[in-house]
Amino acid sequence: MLQFIYSQLIRLALPFILLRLWWQGRQAPELRINWQQRLGFVPRASGTVVWVHAVSVGETIAAAPMVRRLLARNPNITILMTAMTDTGQTQAMKMFGDQVQYAYAPYDTPGAIRRFLNRVNPRILVIMETEIWPNMIRQSRSRGVPVFLINARLSERSALGYERVKRLVAPIMRSISWVAAQAEKDAERFRRIGVAASKVAVTGSVKFDVDIPDSVRAASRQLKNRLSERPVWIAGSTHEGEDAQLLAAHQQLLQHKPDALLIIVPRHPERFESVADLIGRQGFPLARRSLGDELSNAQVYLGDTMGELMMLYGASDVAFVGGSLIERGGHNPLEPAGWGVPVISGPNVFNFETIYERLLDDGGVTLVNDGDELFLRLLALFSNTDERHASGQRALLVVNKNKGALDRVVDGIIERV
């Protein structure tokens, strides 16, 4: 009954969801492209299809090493990557080109999911992290399609929320074939909300298996050469409410390091213009990557392109990971750590608690509470080359010693394909 009520509510909401999509498409026309796919009208697929669902950019990047490894192990399979956002799909296309197929994930109505499954006929569904869509999971299992949650994480806050609707969630959890959890705490929370203990394994986080392609390394070196010997720090994946604090920290840093450069990369492309306006109002000379602006006179470089954050991390001397000075929960600190770059974050990192615990245990990250503390840490690192190098190496060591989850995950998928 609860599943039926949920499905009816999604159906009733669908016209409003489509109207919102059309409205957002006024400023981002790419949102209107292939909108029919969101109703399940996707191109037909053939062969052994592994459906990899990654909601947006972060999950898509996390899925990349797994997808590459799957294709290397079994080149005859067809990988279909889906995302809920245009930025996630753009990221996937940038990474894989014509190696895989792409589609927008269908909205979670019974009809959209049914049409999607009829056209794709997947052998297995791999969901990155914790995207729990009732109709997607239940209909896949009813067709005999194994459903895996890979790199699965579940915060205590989310677990408590699911427990409040356990009558709805438990049947869905029972439909999941395998949960590859990042840590024992995540595994215990999945068991609490209804996943059988025999279906839960602690594999570690595949995000530790940082994969930096040679092309990204080359582009990073090229940009680094353009920046010469300037002190460069990056604020990646920033959100509204953080940018002003970051710019204030940079203003203080410039008083001590006049040639310092801040690379700021908003998490969402719809914020590029508003962040550019903020930088201009603050009086910083600005260069925009999308325009190919000259960097020599810039104090702030706006990373207003898609799919280049990993490269920009590599061109920087210090990295701040956004979404952490506000109640957003943070973003992936292993991307800069994989470059051996010192990592700084705000205090709100509950979305990556296991990763941050391991970084903190080995001194691979510094947490700051506000822009003033951020400035002090930046000044300390830029005033001491040895400490800056040592901090980056500590972060890289954490990445290297926690690798291995990817092999365990790929082995588990290959066994069932």
Side-chain angles (χ1 to χ4, degrees), residues 340-382:
V341 172
V343 182
I344 308 172
S345 290
N348 301 301
V349 294
F350 51 82
N351 284 337
F352 293 84
E353 61 176 341
T354 300
I355 289 173
Y356 272 96
E357 284 174 2
R358 294 183 185 177
L359 285 167
L360 285 167
D361 286 345
D362 287 354
V365 65
T366 301
L367 301 186
V368 297
N369 290 306
D370 53 34
D372 289 336
E373 290 187 11
L374 173 59
F375 154 67
L376 292 174
R377 181 58 178 162
L378 289 169
L379 183 60
L381 290 171
F382 283 122

Side-chain angles (χ1 to χ4, degrees), residues 165-240:
V165 290
K166 194 168 183 177
R167 289 180 61 194
L168 172 63
V169 171
I172 302 163
M173 294 296 103
R174 288 195 292 269
S175 297
I176 294 174
S177 307
W178 188 46
V179 174
Q182 293 188 19
E184 181 55 44
K185 287 188 293 187
D186 299 299
E188 186 273 330
R189 290 165 188 156
F190 277 105
R191 297 183 197 109
R192 272 168 45 193
I193 65 173
V195 182
S198 61
K199 296 181 178 179
V200 181
V202 179
T203 58
S205 174
V206 301
K207 291 186 176 181
F208 282 107
D209 292 86
V210 177
D211 180 21
I212 306 176
D214 291 341
S215 59
V216 173
R217 292 187 182 276
S220 183
R221 284 194 300 270
Q222 185 178 35
L223 177 57
K224 188 69 174 174
N225 290 336
R226 287 178 60 196
L227 297 172
S228 187
E229 300 299 318
R230 297 181 66 178
V232 179
W233 70 286
I234 183 172
S237 296
T238 69
H239 289 254
E240 186 175 359

Side-chain angles (χ1 to χ4, degrees), residues 31-272:
L31 289 173
R32 297 179 181 176
I33 299 174
N34 294 326
W35 65 270
Q36 300 94 331
Q37 293 182 2
R38 301 176 188 270
L39 300 179
F41 295 103
V42 297
R44 294 188 180 275
S46 60
T48 302
V49 178
V50 176
W51 174 13
V52 178
H53 175 59
V55 62
S56 191
V57 174
E59 294 81 7
T60 301
I61 293 172
M66 179 191 73
V67 170
R68 292 190 184 98
R69 196 73 59 87
L70 285 170
L71 289 171
R73 293 271 296 271
N74 189 343
N76 295 319
I77 62 175
T78 298
I79 302 287
L80 172 64
M81 295 197 70
T82 62
M84 300 297 291
T85 66
D86 62 301
T87 54
Q89 190 162 111
T90 300
Q91 178 70 50
M93 291 177 175
K94 191 176 184 70
M95 291 189 298
F96 295 110
D98 59 1
Q99 292 180 285
V100 307
Q101 297 181 16
Y102 311 93
Y104 283 111
Y107 291 133
D108 201 42
T109 65
I113 297 295
R114 183 171 59 253
R115 286 188 290 271
F116 183 94
L117 291 173
N118 286 342
R119 286 163 169 75
V120 172
N121 191 27
R123 180 70 61 86
I124 187 172
L125 167 56
V126 178
I127 300 174
M128 295 303 298
E129 302 196 4
T130 314
E131 281 293 296
I132 299 175
W133 294 102
N135 286 313
M136 177 188 289
I137 292 172
R138 295 292 296 278
Q139 284 201 38
S140 295
R141 285 301 294 134
S142 71
R143 295 178 180 228
V145 178
V147 179
F148 292 176
L149 287 187
I150 299 301
N151 210 44
R153 58 185 171 90
L154 191 63
S155 68
E156 182 62 23
R157 178 186 300 184
S158 296
L160 292 172
Y162 284 126
E163 284 183 312
R164 284 193 285 270
V165 290
K166 194 168 183 177
R167 289 180 61 194
L168 172 63
V169 171
I172 302 163
M173 294 296 103
R174 288 195 292 269
S175 297
I176 294 174
S177 307
W178 188 46
V179 174
Q182 293 188 19
E184 181 55 44
K185 287 188 293 187
D186 299 299
E188 186 273 330
R189 290 165 188 156
F190 277 105
R191 297 183 197 109
R192 272 168 45 193
I193 65 173
V195 182
S198 61
K199 296 181 178 179
V200 181
V202 179
T203 58
S205 174
V206 301
K207 291 186 176 181
F208 282 107
D209 292 86
V210 177
D211 180 21
I212 306 176
D214 291 341
S215 59
V216 173
R217 292 187 182 276
S220 183
R221 284 194 300 270
Q222 185 178 35
L223 177 57
K224 188 69 174 174
N225 290 336
R226 287 178 60 196
L227 297 172
S228 187
E229 300 299 318
R230 297 181 66 178
V232 179
W233 70 286
I234 183 172
S237 296
T238 69
H239 289 254
E240 186 175 359
E242 292 184 306
D243 306 293
Q245 297 183 67
L246 298 167
L247 291 171
H250 189 52
Q251 186 66 67
Q252 294 180 78
L253 182 64
L254 287 169
Q255 296 174 18
H256 301 267
K257 303 288 180 180
D259 58 342
L261 177 70
L262 164 61
I263 302 175
I264 189 165
V265 186
R267 178 68 174 181
H268 300 115
E270 58 267 26
R271 295 187 59 245
F272 289 162

